[in-house]
């Protein structure tokens, strides 16, 4: 490994945390370049479950440098809490192994409150936000009114900038939402205290990552959410507020995207989605409930039940092509072991078109009217959670994997058959 990008090839929750944790063993530097504390990467180590929200998944490997880069929306309170929780569980978290960009934008209390309150106003048009303040933080970044981590470290600048921001935010809270305003002095005290704790971790992470690469270190770029939630290329407006794939590395990490040598997409052997928005292959019946129960499909941060359905090859090919994937990791294959037959979406029936489409209809204003066309594959009805060699999988499971590989158009490099760190099958092994 020299430079490797890992991205979610569906709507997030594809099991990226586990795969990043696995590959982090071979990397020197693990870089998180977008998203916020709404993205939970779950890793199970020796039976212990870790849910990482802002800290990169490489933190569970001693001796690695983990970077929260400038493109991440950072809630300082959440980050400090995560550091303290990891430390209490015996994980080393110090400025040598965790770096925080001085240029990362800060999520404040007003962002979180406005996030929740604005969602109420949307009614049937709600987008299913987690209420963590990520969207309003990125909105302020684009409006050039946001505060960055570096601002927290200068008390006079923090006071001046935050006071100016709260004039507008408090007017919104009081006049539109009929809510109590944010107290400036309380906010300055709270965030000033947190800044003292985080100050040793802060630096120019873009320069640090580029210097590490020039020194021959291997870099792993960790994406959050998934390609279909990308602000530009996802199912807008039911998306997140950042570029979730390889395109986000240049702006979000300060690293030249042309230097990324290898790109791996992560996808489940079926599909899930959290929140509102189109989901062509969703199964709202008994099979969808079975997938949720067997796969324990509940949000790692929010606890919300995920919507479940079948693998969608149309959107998967789109995500892989969009991000220039050189390979694919297929996760949660074991969950499908309970089915005699496994439907897979191979094409869409698109309103206004006579023939079914195998291409993602990105030109549509919405996917709401799209209907899936399925091809059914034989199941294997055998527990595979303990399998570690590809040749030991049931024949019909191998047939399913090889057919998906052919349809996806990129090699499947490994399979995941359980939540544990070791529950991985090398595709060519």
């Amino acid at each position: 490994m020299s430079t490797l990008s890992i991205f979610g090839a569906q709507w997030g929750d594809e099991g990226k945390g586990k795969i990043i944790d696995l590959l982090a063993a071979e990397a020197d530097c693990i870089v998180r370049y977008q998203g916020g504390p709404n993205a939970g990467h779950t890793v199970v180590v020796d039976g212990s479950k870790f849910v990482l929200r802002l800290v990169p998944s490489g933190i569970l490997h001693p001796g690695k440098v983990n970077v929260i880069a400038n493109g991440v929306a950072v809630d300082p309170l959440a980050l400090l809490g995560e550091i303290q929780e990891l430390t209490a569980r015996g994980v080393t978290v110090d400025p040598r192994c965790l770096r925080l960009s001085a240029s990362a934008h800060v999520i404040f209390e007003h962002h979180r409150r406005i996030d929740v309150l604005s969602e109420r106003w949307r009614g049937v048009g709600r987008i299913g936000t987690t209420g963590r303040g990520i969207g309003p933080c990125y909105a302020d970044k684009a409006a050039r009114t946001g505060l960055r981590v570096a601002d927290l470290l200068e008390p006079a600048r923090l006071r001046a900038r935050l006071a100016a921001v709260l004039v507008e935010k408090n007017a919104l809270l009081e006049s539109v939402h009929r809510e109590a305003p944010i107290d400036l002095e309380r906010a300055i005290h709270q965030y000033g205290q947190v800044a003292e704790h985080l100050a040793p971790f802060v630096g120019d992470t873009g320069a640090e990552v580029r210097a590490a690469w020039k020194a021959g270190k291997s870099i792993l770029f960790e994406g959050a959410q998934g390609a279909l939630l990308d602000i530009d290329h996802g199912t807008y407006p039911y998306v997140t507020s950042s570029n979730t794939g390889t395109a986000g590395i240049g702006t979000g990490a300060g690293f030249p995207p042309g230097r990324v040598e290898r790109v791996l997409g992560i996808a489940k052997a079926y599909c899930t989605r959290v929140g509102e928005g189109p989901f062509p292959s969703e199964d709202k019946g008994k099979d969808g409930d079975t997938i949720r129960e067997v796969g324990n499909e509940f949000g790692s941060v929010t606890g919300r039940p995920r919507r479940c359905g079948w693998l969608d090859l149309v959107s998967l090919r789109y995500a892989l092509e969009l991000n220039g994937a050189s390979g694919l990791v297929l996760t949660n294959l074991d969950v499908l072991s309970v089915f005699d037959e496994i439907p897979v979406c191979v094409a869409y029936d698109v309103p206004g078109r006579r023939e079914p489409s195998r291409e993602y209809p990105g030109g549509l204003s919405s996917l709401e009217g799209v209907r899936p066309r399925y091809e059914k594959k034989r199941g294997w009805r055998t527990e595979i959670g303990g399998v570690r060699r590809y040749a030991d999988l049931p024949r019909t499971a191998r047939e399913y994997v090889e057919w998906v590989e052919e349809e996806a158009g990129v090699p499947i490099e490994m399979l995941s058959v359980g939540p544990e760190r070791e529950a991985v099958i090398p595709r060519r092994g």
Side-chain angles (χ1 to χ4, degrees):
M1 180 196 302
S2 180
T3 49
L4 168 63
S5 166
I6 300 288
F7 73 94
Q10 295 168 320
W11 280 284
D13 307 310
E14 301 96 347
K16 295 183 294 298
K18 172 186 167 176
I19 302 304
I20 293 164
D21 167 70
L22 182 71
L23 294 174
E26 306 170 19
D28 297 304
C29 186
I30 299 89
V31 182
R32 168 82 179 275
Y33 58 88
Q34 50 79 219
N38 59 338
H41 287 172
T42 302
V43 181
V44 178
V45 181
D46 297 329
S48 295
K49 179 180 177 180
F50 293 85
V51 178
L52 303 166
R53 299 167 179 83
L54 285 166
V55 177
S57 302
I59 198 68
L60 301 178
H61 291 272
K64 309 297 179 180
V65 177
N66 297 268
V67 175
I68 302 172
N70 63 278
V72 180
V74 176
D75 183 331
L77 306 179
L79 176 57
L80 181 58
E82 190 171 342
I83 290 171
Q84 292 172 337
E85 181 182 343
L86 287 167
T87 302
R89 297 183 65 181
V91 179
T92 298
V93 185
D94 60 35
R96 292 170 298 177
C97 63
L98 180 64
R99 306 297 297 153
L100 172 61
S101 173
S103 298
H105 277 253
V106 176
I107 298 172
F108 287 93
E109 180 185 352
H110 59 265
H111 291 127
R112 296 193 301 273
R113 287 179 60 185
I114 289 170
D115 199 3
V116 174
L117 293 167
S118 297
E119 186 79 337
R120 294 179 189 171
W121 281 76
R122 293 188 180 105
V124 294
R126 64 187 183 276
I127 59 176
T129 173
T130 60
R132 297 299 198 276
I134 288 92
C137 177
Y138 277 122
D140 282 357
K141 175 181 178 178
R144 294 160 293 177
T145 59
L147 277 75
R148 302 191 295 179
V149 169
D151 296 318
L152 296 182
L153 306 184
E154 299 182 25
R157 183 173 175 82
L158 171 61
R159 175 177 289 277
R161 298 281 324 270
L162 191 55
V165 165
L166 286 182
V167 171
E168 176 189 353
K169 302 305 180 183
N170 279 338
L172 179 62
L173 286 169
E174 293 181 278
S175 301
V176 176
H177 297 296
R178 306 298 181 187
E179 293 280 336
I182 303 290
D183 182 76
L184 173 62
E185 296 303 325
R186 178 180 175 275
I188 288 174
H189 176 72
Q190 183 180 40
Y191 287 92
Q193 280 193 321
V194 173
E196 291 181 12
H197 290 284
L198 296 181
F201 298 92
V202 178
D204 182 351
T205 59
E208 291 173 14
V209 172
R210 293 191 300 271
W213 177 76
K214 289 178 182 177
K217 304 294 186 182
S218 56
I219 317 293
L220 192 161
F221 293 96
E222 169 186 313
Q225 289 98 17
L228 299 177
L229 294 178
D230 186 277
I231 184 67
D232 287 301
H233 302 287
T235 52
Y236 191 89
Y238 305 100
V239 293
T240 192
S241 304
S242 56
N243 292 116
T244 58
T246 52
I249 293 173
T251 54
F255 187 85
R259 301 295 188 187
V260 179
E261 299 168 9
R262 185 174 165 223
V263 179
L264 278 183
I266 314 293
K268 285 174 178 166
Y270 49 92
C271 272
T272 63
R273 178 166 195 166
V274 172
E276 309 299 324
F279 183 177
S281 64
E282 182 176 12
D283 189 309
K284 297 181 180 179
K286 181 181 177 182
D287 285 346
D289 291 338
T290 298
I291 292 173
R292 185 179 304 107
E293 292 164 11
V294 176
N296 190 30
E297 293 294 354
F298 298 89
S300 54
V301 170
T302 64
R304 291 188 294 178
R306 295 173 183 144
R307 298 157 61 191
C308 298
W310 305 106
L311 183 63
D312 183 341
L313 289 171
V314 180
S315 64
L316 178 59
R317 282 192 295 266
Y318 167 73
L320 296 173
E321 180 179 330
L322 175 68
N323 287 281
S326 53
L328 174 65
V329 178
L330 200 64
T331 65
N332 293 35
L333 184 66
D334 55 307
V335 174
L336 297 182
S337 299
V338 298
F339 295 104
D340 292 310
E341 246 183 2
I342 303 169
V344 180
C345 173
V346 295
Y348 291 160
D349 286 321
V350 180
R353 299 185 187 178
R354 297 180 62 182
E355 298 296 325
S357 175
R358 285 173 51 86
E359 300 295 325
Y360 187 80
L364 295 183
S365 60
S366 170
L367 291 184
E368 293 292 354
V370 163
R371 294 291 178 266
R373 286 209 174 189
Y374 291 108
E375 186 171 324
K376 293 186 177 180
K377 312 305 290 185
R378 288 176 56 198
W380 43 93
R381 297 290 291 187
T382 301
E383 171 57 44
I384 61 173
V387 176
R388 297 294 179 266
R389 293 178 63 252
Y390 184 72
D392 294 336
L393 284 172
R395 179 175 56 83
T396 48
R398 285 183 275 120
E399 288 174 351
Y400 179 82
V401 170
E402 290 162 22
W403 176 75
V404 169
E405 180 178 64
E406 182 178 356
E407 290 289 319
V410 299
I412 294 177
E413 298 195 10
M414 67 179 83
L415 308 166
S416 173
V417 290
E420 300 82 11
R421 178 185 274 178
E422 65 276 6
V424 170
I425 302 173
R427 172 68 178 82
R428 306 300 173 188

